[in-house]
Short mmCIF file of all heavy atoms in Angstrom, two decimals:
data_model
loop_
_atom_site.label_atom_id
_atom_site.label_comp_id
_atom_site.label_asym_id
_atom_site.label_seq_id
_atom_site.Cartn_x
_atom_site.Cartn_y
_atom_site.Cartn_z
N ILE A 1176 -133.86 119.92 -57.40
CA ILE A 1176 -135.11 119.58 -58.09
C ILE A 1176 -136.20 119.31 -57.06
O ILE A 1176 -137.33 119.78 -57.18
CB ILE A 1176 -134.94 118.36 -59.03
CG1 ILE A 1176 -133.92 118.66 -60.12
CG2 ILE A 1176 -136.28 117.91 -59.60
CD1 ILE A 1176 -134.34 119.69 -61.14
N LEU A 1177 -135.86 118.55 -56.02
CA LEU A 1177 -136.83 118.26 -54.97
C LEU A 1177 -137.31 119.54 -54.29
O LEU A 1177 -138.52 119.70 -54.04
CB LEU A 1177 -136.23 117.32 -53.92
CG LEU A 1177 -136.06 115.86 -54.34
CD1 LEU A 1177 -135.33 115.08 -53.25
CD2 LEU A 1177 -137.40 115.23 -54.65
N ASP A 1178 -136.39 120.45 -54.01
CA ASP A 1178 -136.77 121.71 -53.39
C ASP A 1178 -137.68 122.53 -54.30
O ASP A 1178 -138.65 123.15 -53.84
CB ASP A 1178 -135.53 122.53 -53.02
CG ASP A 1178 -134.74 121.92 -51.87
OD1 ASP A 1178 -135.28 121.04 -51.15
OD2 ASP A 1178 -133.57 122.33 -51.69
N GLY A 1179 -137.39 122.52 -55.60
CA GLY A 1179 -138.24 123.22 -56.56
C GLY A 1179 -139.63 122.64 -56.64
O GLY A 1179 -140.63 123.37 -56.69
N MET A 1180 -139.72 121.30 -56.66
CA MET A 1180 -141.03 120.65 -56.69
C MET A 1180 -141.82 120.96 -55.42
O MET A 1180 -143.03 121.21 -55.47
CB MET A 1180 -140.88 119.14 -56.88
CG MET A 1180 -140.54 118.75 -58.30
SD MET A 1180 -140.76 116.99 -58.58
CE MET A 1180 -139.10 116.41 -58.45
N GLU A 1181 -141.12 120.96 -54.29
CA GLU A 1181 -141.77 121.27 -53.03
C GLU A 1181 -142.31 122.71 -53.03
O GLU A 1181 -143.44 122.95 -52.59
CB GLU A 1181 -140.80 121.08 -51.87
CG GLU A 1181 -141.42 121.35 -50.51
CD GLU A 1181 -140.45 121.11 -49.37
OE1 GLU A 1181 -139.24 121.45 -49.53
OE2 GLU A 1181 -140.87 120.57 -48.34
N ALA A 1182 -141.53 123.63 -53.55
CA ALA A 1182 -141.97 125.03 -53.59
C ALA A 1182 -143.18 125.20 -54.51
O ALA A 1182 -144.16 125.87 -54.15
CB ALA A 1182 -140.83 125.93 -54.06
N LEU A 1183 -143.13 124.59 -55.68
CA LEU A 1183 -144.23 124.70 -56.63
C LEU A 1183 -145.50 124.05 -56.10
O LEU A 1183 -146.56 124.68 -56.02
CB LEU A 1183 -143.84 124.06 -57.96
CG LEU A 1183 -144.93 124.04 -59.03
CD1 LEU A 1183 -145.24 125.46 -59.50
CD2 LEU A 1183 -144.50 123.17 -60.20
N LEU A 1184 -145.39 122.79 -55.72
CA LEU A 1184 -146.58 122.06 -55.26
C LEU A 1184 -147.09 122.59 -53.93
O LEU A 1184 -148.30 122.66 -53.70
CB LEU A 1184 -146.26 120.56 -55.15
CG LEU A 1184 -145.94 119.86 -56.48
CD1 LEU A 1184 -145.38 118.48 -56.23
CD2 LEU A 1184 -147.16 119.82 -57.37
N GLY A 1185 -146.17 122.97 -53.05
CA GLY A 1185 -146.57 123.56 -51.78
C GLY A 1185 -147.33 124.85 -51.97
O GLY A 1185 -148.29 125.16 -51.26
N GLY A 1186 -146.93 125.64 -52.97
CA GLY A 1186 -147.62 126.87 -53.30
C GLY A 1186 -149.04 126.63 -53.79
O GLY A 1186 -149.89 127.52 -53.71
N TRP A 1187 -149.29 125.45 -54.29
CA TRP A 1187 -150.63 125.07 -54.75
C TRP A 1187 -151.43 124.37 -53.65
O TRP A 1187 -152.52 123.87 -53.89
CB TRP A 1187 -150.55 124.17 -55.97
CG TRP A 1187 -150.04 124.87 -57.20
CD1 TRP A 1187 -150.02 126.21 -57.44
CD2 TRP A 1187 -149.47 124.24 -58.34
NE1 TRP A 1187 -149.48 126.45 -58.67
CE2 TRP A 1187 -149.14 125.28 -59.26
CE3 TRP A 1187 -149.21 122.93 -58.70
CZ2 TRP A 1187 -148.56 125.02 -60.50
CZ3 TRP A 1187 -148.64 122.68 -59.93
CH2 TRP A 1187 -148.33 123.71 -60.82
N GLY A 1188 -150.86 124.29 -52.46
CA GLY A 1188 -151.57 123.71 -51.34
C GLY A 1188 -151.35 122.23 -51.11
O GLY A 1188 -152.03 121.61 -50.30
N CYS A 1189 -150.38 121.65 -51.81
CA CYS A 1189 -150.08 120.22 -51.63
C CYS A 1189 -149.14 120.03 -50.44
O CYS A 1189 -148.29 120.87 -50.16
CB CYS A 1189 -149.37 119.66 -52.86
SG CYS A 1189 -150.36 119.58 -54.34
N ARG A 1190 -149.29 118.90 -49.80
CA ARG A 1190 -148.29 118.45 -48.83
C ARG A 1190 -147.29 117.64 -49.64
O ARG A 1190 -147.69 116.74 -50.40
CB ARG A 1190 -148.93 117.58 -47.76
CG ARG A 1190 -147.91 117.05 -46.78
CD ARG A 1190 -148.54 116.25 -45.68
NE ARG A 1190 -147.53 115.86 -44.72
CZ ARG A 1190 -147.69 114.92 -43.85
NH1 ARG A 1190 -148.84 114.28 -43.74
NH2 ARG A 1190 -146.73 114.61 -43.01
N VAL A 1191 -146.02 117.94 -49.51
CA VAL A 1191 -144.99 117.30 -50.33
C VAL A 1191 -144.06 116.47 -49.46
O VAL A 1191 -143.50 116.97 -48.49
CB VAL A 1191 -144.18 118.36 -51.12
CG1 VAL A 1191 -143.11 117.69 -51.96
CG2 VAL A 1191 -145.11 119.21 -51.99
N LEU A 1192 -143.91 115.22 -49.85
CA LEU A 1192 -142.92 114.33 -49.24
C LEU A 1192 -141.79 114.20 -50.26
O LEU A 1192 -142.04 113.97 -51.44
CB LEU A 1192 -143.52 112.96 -48.94
CG LEU A 1192 -144.78 112.92 -48.08
CD1 LEU A 1192 -145.27 111.49 -47.93
CD2 LEU A 1192 -144.53 113.56 -46.74
N LYS A 1193 -140.55 114.36 -49.80
CA LYS A 1193 -139.40 114.31 -50.70
C LYS A 1193 -138.50 113.13 -50.36
O LYS A 1193 -138.33 112.80 -49.19
CB LYS A 1193 -138.57 115.59 -50.59
CG LYS A 1193 -139.33 116.85 -50.90
CD LYS A 1193 -138.44 118.08 -50.90
CE LYS A 1193 -137.73 118.35 -49.61
NZ LYS A 1193 -136.94 119.59 -49.61
N ALA A 1194 -137.94 112.53 -51.42
CA ALA A 1194 -137.01 111.42 -51.21
C ALA A 1194 -136.03 111.35 -52.38
O ALA A 1194 -136.39 111.65 -53.52
CB ALA A 1194 -137.77 110.10 -51.10
N ALA A 1195 -134.79 110.96 -52.08
CA ALA A 1195 -133.76 110.84 -53.10
C ALA A 1195 -133.76 109.48 -53.78
O ALA A 1195 -133.20 109.32 -54.86
CB ALA A 1195 -132.38 111.11 -52.49
N ASP A 1196 -134.39 108.49 -53.15
CA ASP A 1196 -134.41 107.15 -53.72
C ASP A 1196 -135.60 106.37 -53.16
O ASP A 1196 -136.36 106.87 -52.33
CB ASP A 1196 -133.09 106.41 -53.43
CG ASP A 1196 -132.77 106.30 -51.95
OD1 ASP A 1196 -133.68 106.10 -51.12
OD2 ASP A 1196 -131.56 106.41 -51.61
N PHE A 1197 -135.76 105.14 -53.65
CA PHE A 1197 -136.90 104.32 -53.27
C PHE A 1197 -136.97 104.06 -51.76
O PHE A 1197 -138.02 104.21 -51.14
CB PHE A 1197 -136.87 102.99 -54.04
CG PHE A 1197 -137.96 102.05 -53.61
CD1 PHE A 1197 -139.27 102.26 -54.02
CD2 PHE A 1197 -137.67 100.97 -52.80
CE1 PHE A 1197 -140.28 101.41 -53.62
CE2 PHE A 1197 -138.69 100.10 -52.41
CZ PHE A 1197 -139.99 100.32 -52.82
N ASN A 1198 -135.85 103.69 -51.15
CA ASN A 1198 -135.87 103.39 -49.72
C ASN A 1198 -136.22 104.61 -48.88
O ASN A 1198 -136.98 104.52 -47.91
CB ASN A 1198 -134.52 102.81 -49.27
CG ASN A 1198 -134.30 101.41 -49.82
OD1 ASN A 1198 -135.23 100.65 -50.02
ND2 ASN A 1198 -133.05 101.07 -50.10
N ALA A 1199 -135.69 105.77 -49.27
CA ALA A 1199 -136.04 107.01 -48.56
C ALA A 1199 -137.51 107.34 -48.77
O ALA A 1199 -138.16 107.90 -47.89
CB ALA A 1199 -135.15 108.14 -49.04
N ALA A 1200 -138.05 107.00 -49.94
CA ALA A 1200 -139.46 107.25 -50.22
C ALA A 1200 -140.36 106.43 -49.30
O ALA A 1200 -141.33 106.95 -48.73
CB ALA A 1200 -139.76 106.92 -51.68
N ILE A 1201 -140.03 105.16 -49.13
CA ILE A 1201 -140.80 104.29 -48.23
C ILE A 1201 -140.76 104.87 -46.81
O ILE A 1201 -141.78 104.98 -46.14
CB ILE A 1201 -140.25 102.85 -48.24
CG1 ILE A 1201 -140.47 102.21 -49.60
CG2 ILE A 1201 -140.90 102.01 -47.14
CD1 ILE A 1201 -141.91 102.02 -50.02
#
């Protein structure tokens, strides 16, 4: 799911940060 979101949003010119949980997000 994270890879899919990165591909979609990245294709729209977004910089995407991915994380599996809250601590990884921070």
Side-chain angles (χ1 to χ4, degrees):
I1176 298 292
L1177 286 175
D1178 290 344
M1180 284 194 260
E1181 181 178 39
L1183 177 68
L1184 295 169
W1187 292 339
C1189 293
R1190 178 177 184 196
V1191 180
L1192 305 177
K1193 302 185 300 183
D1196 57 38
F1197 175 75
N1198 290 329
I1201 294 296

